[in-house]
Amino acid sequence: MTTIEVDEDEHGSWTVFRVRGELDLVTSPGIRRRVHDAVAGGRHDLVIDLSAVRFCDSSGVGVLIGSRRLLRSCGGRLRLVLPRQRADGEGHVARVLSALGVHRLFDVYEDTPEALSGVPDRPIPEPRRNAP
């Protein structure tokens, strides 16, 4: 069974969604709805922490791209938290975004404090893909 959990916090002008689980065809409409509700409530600066997402398919990527488009249309900002390395290897979402060629569309940070400050401790390179 597909599951997802989202914790929501406010940090000044920023709303932080900490997402855990699987971001897929079944769960992505709920994330889309949360983003739309935040924007409708006047919150236009959003951090989506995807560090605990263990699976993301194309519908999840579509929600991220749609969220970026929505926030930009109202003068807002979207920042993603995608750690480079985890204990179990490179983060799944970062690999998916890179494989689809959309990684560079997003402002990506190593952790939530970096995303809130807007200043990464170091540049975050695009994840490596295995050579064919």
Side-chain angles (χ1 to χ4, degrees), residues 31-60:
I31 301 299
R32 177 179 288 116
R33 191 171 23 265
R34 298 281 298 256
V35 171
H36 282 262
D37 289 348
V39 170
R43 294 173 286 157
H44 298 153
D45 294 327
L46 183 63
V47 172
I48 302 178
D49 182 343
L50 300 167
S51 57
V53 172
R54 61 182 178 269
F55 177 80
C56 180
D57 68 8
S58 60
S59 60

Side-chain angles (χ1 to χ4, degrees), residues 1 9 13-15 17 20 23-24 29 34 44 46-47 56 59-60 63 67 75 81 85 93 99 110 118 125 132:
M1 178 178 219
D9 294 313
S13 68
W14 290 93
T15 299
F17 290 156
R20 290 179 312 284
L23 186 53
D24 60 17
R34 298 281 298 256
H44 298 153
L46 183 63
V47 172
C56 180
S59 60
V63 166
S67 297
V81 174
Q85 279 302 105
V93 178
E110 185 75 15

Side-chain angles (χ1 to χ4, degrees), residues 21-25 28 50 53-65 80-84 86 89-106 108 125-130:
E22 300 176 6
L23 186 53
D24 60 17
L25 183 63
S28 59
L50 300 167
V53 172
R54 61 182 178 269
F55 177 80
C56 180
D57 68 8
S58 60
S59 60
V61 173
V63 166
L64 297 175
I65 292 171
L80 302 182
V81 174
L82 293 171
R84 283 177 283 195
R86 294 194 329 213
E90 190 175 37
H92 174 76
V93 178
R95 286 195 317 267
V96 169
L97 295 178
S98 178
L100 294 173
V102 298
H103 189 272
R104 64 181 54 105
L105 293 176
F106 299 98
V108 177
E126 188 169 326
R128 288 189 206 169
R129 288 191 260 172
N130 294 333

Side-chain angles (χ1 to χ4, degrees), residues 108-126:
V108 177
Y109 296 84
E110 185 75 15
D111 58 34
T112 299
E114 283 185 7
L116 291 170
S117 72
V119 180
D121 284 340
R122 57 199 170 280
I124 298 178
E126 188 169 326

